[in-house]
Amino acid sequence: MSDGALVVDNIGLLITNDPSLGHGPLGQLDDASVVIEDDTVVAVGPAGAVADVRIDAEGACVLPGFVDSHTHLVFAGDRAEEFTARMAGQPYDGGGIRVTTDATRSASTTTLDRLVQARLGEAHRAGTTTIEIKSGYGLNIDDEARTLEIASAHSDETTFLGAHLVPTEYQSRVDEYVDLVCGPMLERAAPHARWIDAFCEVGAFDVDQCRAVLEAGRAAGLGLRLHGNQLGVSGGVRLAVECGCASVDHCTYLDDADIDALAGSDTVATFLPAADFSTRQQYPDARRVLDAGVTVAIASNCNPGSSYTTSISFCLALAVREMGMTIDEAVYAATAGGASALRRHDVGRLSIGAKGHLVILDAPTHHHLAYRPGVPLIRQTIGPLARYNI
Ligand code: NIG
C-alpha cells in the first residue's frame, strides 16, 4: 500500500450501496474494512486490511457519507419569530424569503462566508460529505453573484436560484424580474454555478415563468433542478420532467399524473421532510413514489425559513416514521439517492473508485439512525467538510 493510505477496519456492518459487493440493495458486508488512498476507495473487503493509517471502527456500522442535495446555506439572520408564530397556527407561504433577503443583502461578504463555514462544520459533524448550496437570498444581480461566489468557494455543487421569489422592488413587475433573472443576472451568476433552479409555486413563479428560467439556464450551460409541489399541486413536477431536470425537490403534494410522469423519467424526486415538519405541511406519500419505481432522494433543505437543520439523520427518521419509507430505503435515498439527484456516480457509495467519504456510527446498524431519533450517532465523518470542523 502506498504512502498515505488509510484503512477503516473492524467494521461490524458496512453499507456500500453496491449490490455487487454485498447482500441486498445496500450491498451490506459484515466484518469488513475499507481502504482509502488519495480520497478514493481502493479496496473493500474483509476486516484486517493493512494501510499506513488505521481507524478502528470497533464493530460499529459504517456507511457512505450523506449527500445533501438541497440547501440554502448562504444567508444572514434567522426567522425564529416566524417559526414561533407558525407553531401557534400561522401558515407558511414563503413570503419570509424577503426578510432573509434583506438580512443577506445587508451582511458583509466576510460575515456571510463565516456563517457558511460554520454551517458546513455543523453538516460535517452530522455526517454530510457532499453538499449542494443554492443562492436565492440576493435577488439582485450583485447579491446573487456575490452569494454564489461565496458558495462556490466551498462546494462544486452550487445552484443559481434568482427565481426564488420576486423581490419587493419588483413586486408589481414580475415579468420584468423574470427577464432580469434570465438575462443579466444569469450572466453574472453562471460562472459560479453548476445548476439553475426556480421556485414553482403560487406566490412565487408559475410554470411558464419557471420554464423560461430553466431554458435560459440550459442555454447558459447549467444543469436543471426545480422546487415543485411544496404547498400544492403546482405543475412543478410535470415541468421538471418535461425539461429533463436532474431533480424536482419537495414533492409534498403529488397527484397520479405527477407520479406517472416521474416514473417515466430520469428526474429524481427529492423529499425534504424537515421542511414539511417545520411548515406543518402534510408529509408526502413516499411509498407510492417508490412503488412506482421513481428514484428518490432525501435532503435537509437547510434554510432559515422552512427547515433550519443540517441533520440528515433527523430527515431520515421523519421519512421512515411519516412517509412510509423503510429504513434501508431512507438511508439509500440520503446517500446514493442524493448522488443521483446531483447526477454524481462518485459519491453516495463505497465501491472501488468512488470517493472515500464515509460515516462511522456510534451504533451497530444503520437502523439506529431512525430507531434512536435525536441521538448524536455520528461518531466520525471522513470527507472534505472536515476542514470546517473547528
Ligand atoms: O426550499 N421553498 C422555497 N425555498 C425554501 C424556503 C425558503 C425560505 O422560506 O426562506 C425551501 O423550502
Side-chain angles (χ1 to χ4, degrees):
M1 202 53 59
S2 76
D3 279 359
L6 163 75
V7 62
V8 181
D9 196 14
N10 197 14
I11 300 169
L13 174 63
L14 175 66
I15 307 297
T16 66
N17 283 342
D18 182 344
S20 73
L21 291 176
H23 56 93
L26 299 188
Q28 302 182 33
L29 283 167
D30 298 324
D31 302 318
S33 65
V34 177
V35 183
I36 300 164
E37 211 176 316
D38 295 331
D39 203 35
T40 302
V41 176
V42 294
V44 176
V50 176
D52 306 288
V53 179
R54 179 175 183 268
I55 295 176
D56 185 350
E58 297 173 341
C61 176
V62 168
L63 63 154
F66 298 129
V67 179
D68 191 349
S69 60
H70 184 135
T71 82
H72 304 249
L73 285 197
V74 195
F75 63 86
D78 72 31
R79 308 222 303 269
E81 281 178 22
E82 179 189 315
F83 177 77
T84 304
R86 201 151 62 235
M87 294 306 107
Q90 291 297 310
Y92 174 83
D93 66 2
I97 291 169
R98 293 193 187 94
V99 174
T100 302
T101 298
D102 288 345
T104 304
R105 286 176 178 177
S106 304
S108 71
T109 299
T110 306
T111 298
L112 288 172
D113 190 65
R114 189 175 45 74
L115 289 167
V116 169
Q117 293 200 42
R119 290 167 191 144
L120 290 170
E122 189 181 281
H124 169 80
R125 290 187 288 279
T128 294
T129 52
T130 301
I131 195 159
E132 180 264 10
I133 307 177
K134 299 177 199 302
S135 66
Y137 294 119
L139 306 187
N140 60 34
I141 296 174
D142 286 346
D143 288 304
E144 281 297 306
R146 183 169 75 106
T147 51
L148 273 171
E149 203 169 347
I150 294 167
S152 65
H154 303 292
S155 174
D156 294 336
E157 301 295 347
T158 54
T159 302
F160 169 46
L161 182 57
H164 198 190
L165 203 70
V166 179
T168 314
E169 63 273 21
Y170 275 90
Q171 237 162 348
S172 55
R173 300 179 288 144
V174 181
D175 288 339
E176 256 182 72
Y177 183 68
V178 172
D179 289 344
L180 181 76
V181 170
C182 295
M185 199 186 284
L186 172 61
E187 200 175 313
R188 282 278 304 283
H192 311 294
R194 178 174 179 219
W195 303 96
I196 191 162
D197 194 347
F199 184 18
C200 189
E201 203 68 63
V202 173
F205 298 91
D206 67 23
V207 167
D208 289 336
Q209 291 160 341
C210 290
R211 186 186 289 108
V213 170
L214 294 178
E215 290 305 340
R218 190 203 306 278
L222 302 184
L224 313 186
R225 41 206 324 109
L226 190 68
H227 284 62
N229 299 42
Q230 176 182 5
L231 305 173
V233 178
S234 64
V237 167
R238 270 165 279 169
L239 175 67
V241 170
E242 173 199 317
C243 293
C245 287
S247 176
V248 57
D249 297 26
H250 284 285
C251 296
T252 302
Y253 294 87
L254 297 174
D255 64 18
D256 291 345
D258 291 324
I259 294 176
D260 287 348
L262 284 166
S265 80
D266 290 335
T267 301
V268 172
T270 297
F271 294 118
L272 308 170
D276 303 313
F277 170 88
S278 172
T279 59
R280 282 233 164 103
Q281 294 295 313
Q282 65 172 45
Y283 288 97
D285 184 353
R287 187 74 268 137
R288 278 184 70 206
V289 179
L290 284 158
D291 289 347
V294 177
T295 303
V296 162
I298 293 171
S300 75
N301 188 18
C302 181
N303 77 78
S306 70
S307 185
Y308 201 176
T309 183
T310 50
S311 173
I312 293 287
S313 301
F314 172 62
C315 301
L316 205 145
L318 287 176
V320 170
R321 174 64 181 81
E322 304 289 347
M323 289 162 47
M325 295 178 76
T326 68
I327 300 175
D328 283 10
E329 286 168 342
V331 166
Y332 190 85
T335 50
S340 297
L342 295 171
R343 300 227 159 129
R344 296 273 299 266
H345 302 288
D346 58 334
V347 293
R349 65 200 78 238
L350 291 171
S351 47
I352 291 165
K355 298 279 186 198
H357 301 167
L358 57 81
V359 169
I360 305 172
L361 295 183
D362 247 329
T365 76
H366 55 301
H367 296 154
H368 285 233
L369 290 167
Y371 170 51
R372 304 196 66 214
V375 178
L377 293 181
I378 310 296
R379 182 192 302 169
Q380 187 174 350
T381 306
I382 296 176
L385 303 187
R387 66 186 188 273
Y388 302 105
N389 189 26
I390 43 174

